[in-house]
Structure formats: structure tokens, C-alpha cells
Amino acid sequence: MADATKPTIHIDEVTGKDSSDADGSESKPFQTIQYAYLQHSDQVQYLVKKQEGDETEATYKPAAKAALKKAANYADVQKKKASKEKELAIRQQKEDEERQRVYEDAKKIIITEDKSLPKAVKIHLAETRPEIVKLGAGDRPKDVDYSSAGRGTRVRVMGRVHRERKQKEVLFVTLRDGYGFMQCVLTGPLAKTYDALTLTRETSMLIVGEMWEVPAGAHAPLNRELHADYFEIVGKAPGGDDAITNKVQAKGDAQTLLDMRHLVLRGETASAVLLVRDAVEHAFNLKYHELGYVKVSPPALVQTQVEGGSTLFSFDYYGEQAYLTQSSQLYLETAIPFAGNVYCIEKSFRAEKSLTRRHLSEYTHVEAELDFITFDDLLDHLEELICGVLEIVLGNPRIAALLKDLHPEFTMPERPFKRMRYSDAIDWLVEHNIPNENDQPHSFGDDIAEAAERRMTDIINRPIFLTHFPTEIKAFYMARDKDDPRVTESVDCLMPGVGEIVGGSMRMWDYDELMAAYKREEMDPAPYYWYTDQRRYGTSPHGGYGLGLERFLAWLCKQHTVRDTCLYPRYMGRCKP
């Protein structure tokens, strides 16, 4: 029954509106009791339009008690929520005002370098006391005994903020400069400046102060920290939505991380892999020179193929067709007569429409050609090269420490490497019920697929020299085994977790045999005249190989994909940034 003493609010669930366009009158009814109750509470009576029969018979009737109770509860919840939001807004406003006041006060604090202090010596972040330790190329500083060396060396360092942490009136800043990390401590007025209060990660800074040993129980890079007496901001990095921690996240979308690769590279894992890469490439150069090899630089623009025409990147070269090189092998062979054993570390390009974790369209190829050798000589050399490079890399304490973090279980490969003929591998795969790509048992002549090859390698769990592949599945230039013409004197070096990292063989060195190979592969020998001439002008038994640096690093650094072992990966669909 309607209460004539209270104003009336109308609710029409069909035509009403829960907005400012409605006022609760019969001509402008609300749509729900909940919305109306928020506006008028229990100070009015609520009439709800009910449909009885056709639309012309619809009438307004008093709202049910259950509906009013539900509306009252809803209104109570909403009012409490609004009150809490108002409190938070007021608190936030006060905090913003207080922060702004602090910032305004901080802007008044001006710091200057005290010229009466000892002159600061500029050092890299991995150095300790500059008068005792200096960095050489690729070196890590030796440990310094601070108990005897004392503290108080005043230094000047520059780097980017890797981490920052505020603790009461102390600001801890970890700088990074590519050589290493250094913890810096800012106290007193330094920690109260506007620049200190608004410091963001990746901001570049200059900091001056004394280097001290860290207190007992505390931890810092190289067990020392810089107690600052002066600093400057060199380049301020953005915060908020544009902060680097919002741009790149460890478990972010893979494609987004590749789009942001220029920022990802600043992270500890990505940078560690590339620092190891530098050490590995340097180690290859050292090992080759130790072995007496000569480094040459073959062309990247070519008019011949090495590994088949389907993976060539072609382009117009002043009106002629040309390609990006698939391998420097053929050109390396031409350097043997004047230089002896030769090598190169160059880019190779394969237009493979493959998105596997071990394929790239542009990769770094470590290639070598050896003169007057046998197939066994080639295998012995590969084993010596790989282990020799690893010994050099692990002999660098800084790189060894990075590898320990990246791949804690890594151990030097056991020598000699396991040697397995292709035919034995086929039998092994059949025995272990590992099918081929057609889900059938492997048989002689199959090109062992990547998945099967990797599974076999992971089960055996040691480096494997897989040798003597059938002629039909190998390149035209590979020499046949004189004892079994069905197969070539060829080798793939397989590593656990990655699979093939090296492919090599003895090269055809007989002129007639090479000409027959051109014919068999339906290749025009004319463009290869310069290669064929090596068999006419003093031929020799020789062999060589190509090692994929990115795959080598994926194995060494325990990276899931070769895309993470190069600066900016290039593969099908990816040519940026």
C-alpha cells in the first residue's frame, strides 16, 4: 500500500533509465530500485511498474520488501566503498602534496664537489684500487686484500643505474658499465637531492667517493662499495609507464621482448651471454693462431651456391644476379695454396623458412680449411679446437663466473669424443624406437631429422662425431669414402641440448670426380671455374668445416634458442630492430 506522506519514486524496468536523464517521476522513471535507492534512501516510497498481460495493462505497484532490503544492502555497500575511495583519494592527495613539498625542498639542495679532497682517479666499475690493479683487455681484476691495502682511495666512476634501493636516509645504487658492477652509497644531503629522490633505473651517472670494503655480513660486487661525496646525473631515464621495468619483463611475450631487444640487452642474462660470446670469438682467434692458421675475409656477395639453391638470398648486383653467401668454404679452399691452413669468422645467410629454436637467417660462421690431411686428422683437429677454445674461455675468471651463473652444471667435454658412423646411428635410432619424419623406423638413406638427432644426442649425453653420411644427402663437394663409395667422408659434431654445431668433410680434390659431381647435381660448372682450378693447379687432399657460433653458445650458455645468443636475431619474419 502506498504511503501518501512520502514522495513517490517510479521504477520502470523496461523503459526507465539509471542516469541523470531520469528523476523518478512517472514520466522519467528510474530502471532499477538499487540505483534509485542510492539517490533517495528510505525517505521515499518506491513504485515499480509490473507487466500484467499486454503492455497497456502495465501498472505501478509498491516495491516488494525483499527488493527494498536488497536495494538497501546494495546502497550500504556502495556508500562504504565510496567513503573508502574518498579516504584513499584524500590520503593520496596528502601524500602527493607532501611528496611535492619534499621535492620542492630537495630542489633547493645544491651539491658541489669538494675540491679540497684528494683528486679522484677515474676507473671502470670492475677495478678496485687503481694504483694496484688495472684492467687488461677482457681481464677481471685480481682480488685485493683491503686489510693491508687500506681504504680511502678516492675514485670517479660512471655507469648506468642497474638497481636502486632507498633505506631511511641512505640511497644504495648499483651501477653497471659493461666491465662490471659497483655498489655506491649516498648519504646525507646527497640522498636528499631531487635527483636522488627521483632516481630511476638506467639513468646514467657520475659518482665520486671513497672505496671501502663492505661491512662484515654484507654483500656487494667484488666485496667493496663506493661511499659517495659527490654525484651528477648524466642522462636521466624515464619512470612511470615508460620505466624499463615496464617495457621489458623477464617472462614477457617473446615477440615483444624481441621488439624491445635494445633494452633486453641491458639485463643480466642477455648481457652475460653476449660477454661470453665476445670471449668465445676471441678464444677462437687465439686458438687458430696458436695452431698457426691464417685468417682471411672471404666475400659476402657471391654468384655461386654452396648448400643448395633453395636457401639462397638473391638480389640484383648491377644488372647481374648475385647472392648473400651461404658459406665461405669455397673461397677458403682457394686460400690454401698460398696460406696453408686458413680460417674465417664471418656472417653466412640461409633463406630457410624455418622457425626452429636453432635456425637463423643470418648467423656467424666459424669456418676453416686444412691442407694435406686425412679424415682422421680433421676429426682430431675439431676435438682439439673445441676443447682448446673452452679452456681459453674458462681460463678467464670473469667469463668463467658468468658461465657459472648461466650454466651451473657445465663441465668440459670428455675426450675423446664419441665417434659414430651414420649407419650405426640408424641402427641406434631403430633400437630405441625413435621414428623418422614420416613416423616410420629409420632406414639407410634417411636424412636424420633435427628432433631425432637431438634426442639421440641428449640420451647419449656426450659430444658425438657422427660420420660417413650417404652421398645423396650431402653437398656436391664432399669426398666419398674410398672403402665405401655409398658414403662421404663427412662429419657432424653433435652436442647435448642443441644437436649439430659443426658440419664438415673432406673435399673432392680430384678434377674428374668434381666434374662428375657437377653433372650429377645438374650444376653448370662455368661459374665455378675458379673453384675447379684448385684441382688443376696443384691439387691436394684437404678438408674443412663450418661451426655455427650461435649454436655453440646455446650449448655453452644453456640457452633454449640461438636467438638469445646474438645481438639482434634475424630469422623468417624478423628483421627488426
Side-chain angles (χ1 to χ4, degrees), residues 113-277:
E113 186 171 359
D114 188 346
K115 300 300 182 180
S116 68
L117 294 172
K119 184 177 180 180
V121 180
K122 183 179 178 181
I123 66 169
H124 293 300
L125 297 182
E127 294 181 79
T128 49
R129 283 173 55 93
E131 69 270 30
I132 296 177
V133 181
K134 284 290 185 182
L135 275 180
D139 290 338
R140 180 180 180 272
K142 300 177 179 64
D143 291 331
V144 173
D145 181 359
Y146 280 90
S147 61
S148 60
R151 77 181 195 191
T153 303
R154 192 162 182 267
V155 298
R156 180 183 300 266
V157 298
M158 301 183 77
R160 291 172 179 80
V161 177
H162 190 66
R163 292 191 185 90
E164 47 83 23
R165 175 170 56 91
K166 297 178 178 66
Q167 183 176 311
K168 295 184 179 179
E169 295 188 355
V170 179
L171 175 61
F172 293 92
V173 178
T174 300
L175 289 188
R176 180 193 73 246
D177 71 349
Y179 288 90
F181 300 85
M182 180 179 287
Q183 179 168 289
C184 304
V185 183
L186 280 64
T187 58
L190 296 182
K192 297 177 181 179
T193 62
Y194 180 77
D195 284 335
L197 295 178
T198 59
L199 190 63
T200 52
R201 291 192 184 186
E202 294 307 316
T203 291
S204 52
M205 302 179 68
L206 176 152
I207 303 182
V208 184
E210 290 184 354
M211 270 205 303
W212 295 4
E213 182 181 14
V214 296
H219 300 281
L222 295 181
N223 199 39
R224 46 78 168 123
E225 60 189 9
L226 182 68
H227 283 251
D229 57 56
Y230 176 72
F231 79 90
E232 292 178 8
I233 298 296
V234 178
K236 194 173 184 66
D241 292 340
D242 287 331
I244 191 169
T245 49
N246 290 325
K247 289 287 187 179
V248 293
Q249 299 174 0
K251 296 183 179 180
D253 173 70
Q255 294 305 312
T256 299
L257 291 177
L258 284 170
D259 288 341
M260 295 288 114
R261 181 72 175 163
H262 59 293
L263 297 180
V264 171
L265 292 172
R266 303 180 182 211
E268 291 183 27
T269 298
S271 61
V273 170
L274 291 181
L275 290 171
V276 172
R277 180 187 173 115

Side-chain angles (χ1 to χ4, degrees), residues 4-21:
T5 63
K6 288 185 177 181
T8 300
I9 295 297
H10 296 80
I11 311 295
D12 188 331
E13 296 175 351
V14 177
T15 63
K17 295 181 180 180
D18 286 346
S19 68
S20 57
D21 292 338

Side-chain angles (χ1 to χ4, degrees), residues 348-478:
S348 287
F349 305 86
R350 304 276 174 93
E352 290 182 284
K353 294 182 178 180
S354 175
L355 292 174
T356 75
R357 61 189 179 98
R358 69 175 195 173
H359 282 94
L360 292 168
S361 296
E362 175 190 66
Y363 64 99
T364 299
H365 220 167
V366 180
E367 299 182 87
E369 292 295 318
L370 292 68
D371 202 12
F372 293 107
I373 63 164
T374 65
F375 186 51
D376 283 337
D377 292 334
L378 179 62
L379 299 184
D380 291 342
H381 161 79
L382 278 170
E383 190 173 293
E384 170 64 21
L385 177 74
I386 291 171
C387 292
V389 164
L390 291 174
E391 287 169 358
I392 294 171
V393 169
L394 293 173
N396 182 325
R398 181 191 184 198
I399 303 303
L402 292 174
L403 278 173
K404 185 69 175 175
D405 290 336
L406 291 167
H407 193 173
E409 331 57 70
F410 179 79
T411 56
M412 281 289 291
E414 180 185 344
R415 299 176 70 176
F417 291 2
K418 182 177 179 61
R419 300 188 181 190
M420 176 186 284
R421 294 178 72 98
Y422 164 88
S423 56
D424 294 330
I426 293 295
D427 293 340
W428 190 96
L429 291 167
V430 171
E431 290 170 7
H432 288 77
N433 298 314
I434 299 175
N436 63 18
E437 287 187 301
N438 297 319
D439 204 30
Q440 298 296 318
H442 279 87
S443 60
F444 190 90
D446 284 350
D447 191 355
I448 301 175
E450 175 190 343
E453 176 186 87
R454 195 167 63 240
R455 189 173 172 193
M456 178 181 72
T457 309
D458 290 348
I459 292 172
I460 295 174
N461 196 31
R462 60 180 292 196
I464 301 171
F465 281 146
L466 189 58
T467 67
H468 298 90
F469 291 86
T471 302
E472 289 74 17
I473 63 173
K474 284 298 182 180
F476 75 93
Y477 52 77
M478 293 189 177

Side-chain angles (χ1 to χ4, degrees), residues 67-119:
L68 288 172
K69 185 176 181 180
K70 187 176 180 180
N73 290 337
Y74 174 79
D76 188 50
V77 169
Q78 295 304 310
K79 287 177 181 178
K80 288 180 179 179
K81 183 178 178 181
S83 176
K84 189 174 182 179
E85 289 176 350
K86 185 177 180 179
E87 286 180 16
L88 288 173
I90 293 172
R91 187 186 310 166
Q92 184 64 50
Q93 183 179 357
K94 288 182 178 180
E95 288 178 358
D96 290 344
E97 291 173 353
E98 176 61 20
R99 186 181 298 108
Q100 193 59 38
R101 184 190 65 76
V102 171
Y103 285 165
E104 291 302 319
D105 290 343
K107 290 177 182 179
K108 299 174 184 176
I109 300 175
I110 307 298
I111 58 173
T112 57
E113 186 171 359
D114 188 346
K115 300 300 182 180
S116 68
L117 294 172
K119 184 177 180 180

